[in-house]
Amino acid sequence: MKKWILILPLIYGLGWMVPAWSQTDPAIEAKVDALLARMTLEEKIGQMNQYNGFWNFTGPAPAGGEAANKFDNLKSGMVGSMLNVRGVENVRKVQELALQSRLHIPLIIGFDVIHGYQTLSPIPLAEAASWDLAAIQRSAKVAATEAAASGINWTFAPMVDISRDARWGRVMEGAGEDPFLGAQIAAARVQGFQGRDLSDPLTIAACVKHFAAYGFAEAGRDYNTVDIGTSTLYNMVLPPFKAAANAGARTFMNSFNEINGIPATANALLQRDILKGQWGFTGFVVSDWGSIGELIPHGLARDGKQAAELAVNAGSDMDMESYNYLNHLKSLVESGQVDEALITDAARRILRVKFELGLFDDPYRYCDEERERTMIGNSDEMDAVLQMAKKSIVLLKNENALLPLPKSGKKVALIGPLAADKTSPLGSWRPAADDGTAISVLEGMERYSGNRLMHYPGVKLFEGEPAFVTELQINETDTTGFAAAVNGAKQADVVVMVLGEHGLMTGEGRSRAFIDIPGLQEELLKAVLAVNSQVVLVLMNGRPLAIDWEAEHVPAIVEAWHLGTQSGNAIAQVLYGDYNPSGKLPMSFPRSVGQVPIYYNHKSTGRPDRAGGGMVFWSHYNDESNDPLYPFGFGIGYSKMAYSDLRVTRGSGNSITVQVNVRNMGKLAGEEVVQVYIHDLVASVTRPVKELKAFEKVSLSAGESRTVRFTLDESSLGFYNNDGHWVFEPGDFMIMAGGNSVDVLQEKITIQ
Ligand code: GLC
């Protein structure tokens, strides 16, 4: 029986939707005006200063030295915000100090609640693989609930940096390579964090970061130079930021990198012209950690005073931990180098958000010890992150239906250094979650199978114990664990190998020049395969890895990322078939690091194939394919999904209707992400060969067929020109639909 689904893609690129949040509340504006009128220049500057938590607040107050100055500044209204203050007791303590100031202005308390607070969701890149916006929004709500219950009212998330470079450690923190998927996810996460009422004590202000283009760091090296063209900036980088602003995000964070010669922190085009000007953003912009001071090593500022001047003129409202605003803004205003109106505007924006959070009504609104006891780690939160984790898993290969595993009747050996790891699944961005709090694969598999498993680590990942800050020494020599693992593999019917990256090998400051499975793990895999061909490789990683050897030799490969607290339970449910995997890759997997950056929405070039340039003179490598190992949008399940009957018809105006039939050919019910791509064949600015413009995750019972229907209008068929204006140009479009960005049905349509 056919069912129709009408999908209108969420508008993500256009500025014509005036978001409710960009209109301010007159009642709040009146309060902000009244307070500003009473504030001195120093007190306004104080709001623009953010300190990191700097002593054990429940211990003795600091006496003497820098901490004592900070302590005094806190009490005298010279601090507008603190970050990394955790727990109701500590937040109450610093709030009490701040309220001793002349005007009793409360602090806004920020924290990196990137993918959960104490109960961890999957890393954001994994969540993006779910393509399930409702699950992602629920995951963000869980994070907000736990953080708010702990006294926090502002998270430095969502990170919405598009990236095509798996060498960059922070790809784990974003939503991958596509601006449309990234925009939908950015909006969902903002709504999950902020809810409908920011004054609700279980919602927190979002912070969209890192504005902008941080993910385009050259060579994938963190903090490195970014030099991109206008078309890439407007069409690839900015759409997720715009979607987050339209979703009502109340703060932005700028980025460490320069863009075309101007560091983001001092970039007026980004912060004043686009964000606060064209987009009408009424919240505030916080610098990244010390990024105002970093204008000096960038070579833009000769000293801290000039750094402060450049940053405040460019629209950076709050100074995270560089002290340059506190040290220099007063004299810059008094000397006429900085207009006091800019200080007043920055303070206004910060006070506005504090009023919206309800902090002036009740500065202790987030300090409820009872909530802290009952709203962290409860069963609803555990269920939410388990559902999120299951949906984030991507099945990449399943030769001869090796998976799902039976729960009995087969002897299973579990091998690999990450198989019993209860910390790595938490990733590296989890300052409030203790080590060892994740369910390991071993625990999950034993729980779901009801059997005890033979388990062999096989090899240590590091020499010594990994420490968060120091460089990790990968074990390249010690194979003493191989023999036991190989012997265990000999005795098993099936081997499940859990290999990949330790949680501290991904994230900020964790770029890798080589993206193979690190250390001696691949050697261990080869040794196991030599004695048992029935191997399921479970990857635990924070970035696409170059696994071309594995893809050729291993019969089953499961991409399990770093899945958070419920990792082992989610992986076990997929391995044993309790959940039919439905994830789709949000980033292309390269065959080798030499192909990076590699992405599906690339341009054609003037010599896209041999026909254009003969045997040699066309865009290719002599020693590697142009194609990824696994493309954007790819993922299979235990049921084959078949596509047919693509139809593309004209709708009203310049809109088109796209419909396609998808059938579940398998014996198991399953979910499928139906994806729609376009190629604007000829335009005034060259367009990518494919652009994702709509998707829908549908559930199909065994044998069920469904016709899925989308409507694309100018907000999907257009693009930003090099003046930053959204334009739609009539002409020929190739429309494609399928279960990934390569295996698609296609039909050309002309819109005149
Ligand atoms: C870090 C990160 C940023 C984070 C901030 C506060 O350096 O770049 O994403 O929110 O500092 O921890």
Side-chain angles (χ1 to χ4, degrees), residues 175-234:
E177 69 193 48
D178 180 71
F180 180 82
L181 178 62
Q184 309 304 310
I185 289 172
R189 300 195 79 210
V190 167
Q191 286 149 5
F193 289 133
Q194 298 191 164
R196 294 184 179 285
D197 174 7
L198 209 48
S199 67
D200 176 337
L202 288 179
T203 64
I204 57 179
C207 182
V208 197
K209 70 184 188 183
H210 303 80
F211 197 56
Y214 185 23
F216 283 72
E218 285 179 356
R221 200 171 78 233
D222 211 348
Y223 317 120
N224 201 11
T225 304
V226 171
D227 206 333
I228 56 174
T230 308
S231 186
T232 299
L233 177 64
Y234 278 103

Side-chain angles (χ1 to χ4, degrees), residues 87 133 145 184 220 307 337 382 424 495 729:
L133 301 178
T145 301
Q184 309 304 310
Q337 288 170 273
M382 285 300 174
S424 284
V495 180
E729 296 178 355

Side-chain angles (χ1 to χ4, degrees), residues 83 112 156 170 209-210 253 256 288-289 320 429 508:
L83 72 150
D112 289 290
F156 304 128
R170 301 194 77 162
K209 70 184 188 183
H210 303 80
M253 180 185 292
F256 292 120
D288 203 339
W289 186 289
M320 181 190 288
W429 262 125
E508 183 175 358

Side-chain angles (χ1 to χ4, degrees), residues 50-53 57 74 79-88 90-96 98 106-113 117 147-148 150-156 203-206 284 318 350 353-354 357 359 363-364 366-367:
Q50 180 185 54
Y51 278 162
N52 188 38
F57 308 111
L74 200 56
V79 183
S81 171
M82 290 187 75
L83 72 150
N84 295 331
V85 178
R86 283 174 53 196
V88 163
N90 287 331
V91 169
R92 183 181 293 279
K93 188 74 181 171
V94 291
Q95 205 63 285
E96 283 168 352
L107 298 167
I108 180 172
I109 304 292
F111 200 83
D112 289 290
V113 190
Y117 181 70
S150 305
I152 289 155
N153 33 60
W154 178 29
T155 178
F156 304 128
T203 64
I204 57 179
F284 70 87
M318 185 181 280
I350 295 163
V353 175
K354 291 183 176 181
L357 283 163
L359 289 171
Y364 303 107
Y366 288 79
C367 300

